[in-house]
């Protein structure tokens, strides 16, 4: 069965208190000795009873006095030996003032956050309200200035983008003008070559081959009247009528 948890408080029974002191003192001295042996540590232990009796343990062979001197040198090495007690007292007073100031600021901060307002009076609440209003005005003014600065930066960027856009548009128009001029030049050259071809054709027409077209010789009316035959004329008229009905034309009309 394990031991129960011991409540840490002063033992009222005198005998029990002395017995507990003796047991725990011996146990503490034993633990200090074991620690010095196992870990090769220098340990100095001082115990005073309620009657003022001293119990000590020192693992160093030089003795307790050397250990205490070593402790003092180590603890007060950072302190200036020429520093007077008055300077120490002044620094301590400064420390107390700073500590009090920090507490006041923390208290005021809690009030600004809306905490611990129950203990404040009407005048304190009005002062807190004025302080909050002043803080809000300052915050809004800072916000407005920040927004104006951002707006100015955006306007500057907009002007830069518009200028870049104008430059690109101008370059595009110049490239379009050069391309149009090139196309017009090629079209003019092609038209000029065509005009030259037509002029050469008109000045030197092609020769007509024999048998393709031959103009009539002499008086056409006399030739037609000299060879007039009524039978052939009727037959020719009937053929012409039939060809006209069928949608064809006689050969002499072509």
């Amino acid at each position: 069965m394990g031991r129960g948890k011991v409540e840490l408080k002063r033992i009222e029974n005198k005998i029990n208190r002395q017995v507990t002191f003796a047991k725990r003192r011996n146990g503490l001295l034993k633990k200090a000795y074991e620690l010095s042996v196992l870990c090769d540590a220098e340990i100095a232990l001082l115990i005073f009873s309620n009657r003022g009796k001293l119990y000590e343990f020192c693992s160093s062979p030089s003795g307790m006095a050397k250990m205490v001197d070593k402790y003092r040198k180590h603890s007060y090495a950072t302190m200036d030996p020429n520093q007077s007690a008055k300077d120490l007292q002044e620094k301590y007073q400064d420390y107390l003032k700073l500590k009090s100031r920090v507490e006041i600021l923390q208290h005021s901060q809690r009030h600004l956050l809306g905490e611990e307002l129950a203990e404040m009076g009407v005048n304190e609440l009005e002062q807190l309200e004025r302080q909050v209003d002043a803080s809000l005005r300052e915050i809004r003014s800072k916000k407005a200035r920040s927004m104006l600065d951002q707006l100015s930066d955006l306007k500057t960027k907009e002007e830069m983008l518009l200028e870049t856009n104008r430059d690109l548009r101008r370059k595009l128009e110049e490239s379009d003008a050069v391309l149009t001029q090139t196309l017009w030049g090629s079209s003019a050259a092609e038209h000029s070559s065509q005009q030259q071809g037509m002029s050469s054709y008109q000045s030197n027409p092609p020769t007509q081959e024999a048998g393709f077209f031959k103009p009539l010789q002499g008086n056409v009316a006399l030739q037609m009247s000299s060879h007039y035959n009524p039978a052939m004329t009727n037959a020719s008229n009937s053929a012409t009528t039939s060809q006209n009905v069928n949608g064809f034309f006689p050969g002499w009309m072509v």
Side-chain angles (χ1 to χ4, degrees):
M1 185 174 180
R3 296 177 57 186
K5 185 177 180 181
V6 179
E7 185 179 2
L8 292 178
K9 67 177 184 178
R10 184 177 183 274
I11 301 175
E12 299 298 334
N13 192 305
K14 183 178 180 180
I15 297 175
N16 293 338
R17 185 168 61 246
Q18 291 178 353
V19 172
T20 301
F21 173 76
K23 289 182 178 180
R24 291 182 178 263
R25 179 199 63 200
N26 294 333
L28 182 60
L29 293 172
K30 182 180 178 182
K31 291 294 183 182
Y33 170 74
E34 292 176 354
L35 182 62
S36 64
V37 174
L38 293 174
C39 301
D40 193 18
E42 294 183 359
I43 299 176
L45 178 62
L46 297 174
I47 302 175
F48 289 91
S49 66
N50 57 351
R51 294 181 179 180
K53 187 177 180 179
L54 174 62
Y55 301 90
E56 64 180 21
F57 169 78
C58 182
S59 62
S60 176
S62 59
M64 181 63 71
K66 297 291 184 181
M67 290 288 290
V68 172
D69 291 340
K70 186 176 181 179
Y71 167 75
R72 288 177 177 174
K73 291 179 181 179
H74 181 76
S75 298
Y76 300 100
T78 57
M79 296 183 61
D80 188 2
N82 298 325
Q83 193 174 17
S84 62
K86 184 178 180 181
D87 294 338
L88 293 175
Q89 185 67 22
E90 290 178 355
K91 290 185 177 181
Y92 181 72
Q93 294 295 330
D94 293 339
Y95 161 73
L96 293 179
K97 291 179 181 179
L98 291 175
K99 183 179 179 181
S100 176
R101 179 62 177 169
V102 169
E103 291 177 354
I104 293 173
L105 291 174
Q106 290 177 349
H107 196 63
S108 177
Q109 183 181 8
R110 287 193 293 269
H111 287 169
L112 292 174
L113 294 175
E115 300 175 357
E116 300 180 1
L117 299 179
E119 58 185 12
M120 298 180 65
V122 177
N123 295 331
E124 294 177 349
L125 290 174
E126 290 179 353
Q127 183 179 359
L128 179 62
E129 185 179 4
R130 288 192 295 270
Q131 186 177 358
V132 171
D133 290 338
S135 300
L136 285 175
R137 285 194 298 270
E138 183 65 24
I139 292 171
R140 289 166 181 165
S141 177
K142 178 64 177 177
K143 180 182 177 182
R145 288 195 298 270
S146 178
M147 293 178 68
L148 290 175
D149 293 339
Q150 291 180 1
L151 183 60
S152 178
D153 294 339
L154 291 175
K155 286 184 178 179
T156 304
K157 292 180 180 179
E158 182 183 5
E159 293 177 356
M160 294 174 61
L161 292 174
L162 289 174
E163 183 65 24
T164 304
N165 190 12
R166 284 192 293 268
D167 293 339
L168 293 175
R169 186 182 296 275
R170 184 170 56 253
K171 292 180 180 179
L172 181 61
E173 291 176 354
E174 292 176 357
S175 62
D176 289 341
V178 172
L179 181 60
T180 304
Q181 185 177 2
T182 304
L183 292 177
W184 276 105
S186 61
S187 299
E190 184 178 357
H191 182 69
S192 177
S193 62
Q194 290 179 358
Q195 290 292 336
Q196 292 178 1
M198 291 296 293
S199 299
S200 61
Y201 178 79
Q202 291 177 359
S203 60
N204 299 315
T207 57
Q208 298 179 353
E209 295 181 358
F212 178 75
F213 177 77
K214 186 175 182 181
L216 295 176
Q217 301 291 333
N219 194 344
V220 179
L222 292 176
Q223 290 179 7
M224 291 178 64
S225 62
S226 63
H227 297 285
Y228 176 76
N229 189 348
M232 293 296 293
T233 302
N234 294 330
S236 176
N237 291 333
S238 63
T240 301
T241 304
S242 64
Q243 289 178 358
N244 288 334
V245 171
N246 293 329
F248 295 95
F249 294 95
W252 64 270
M253 293 183 66
V254 177

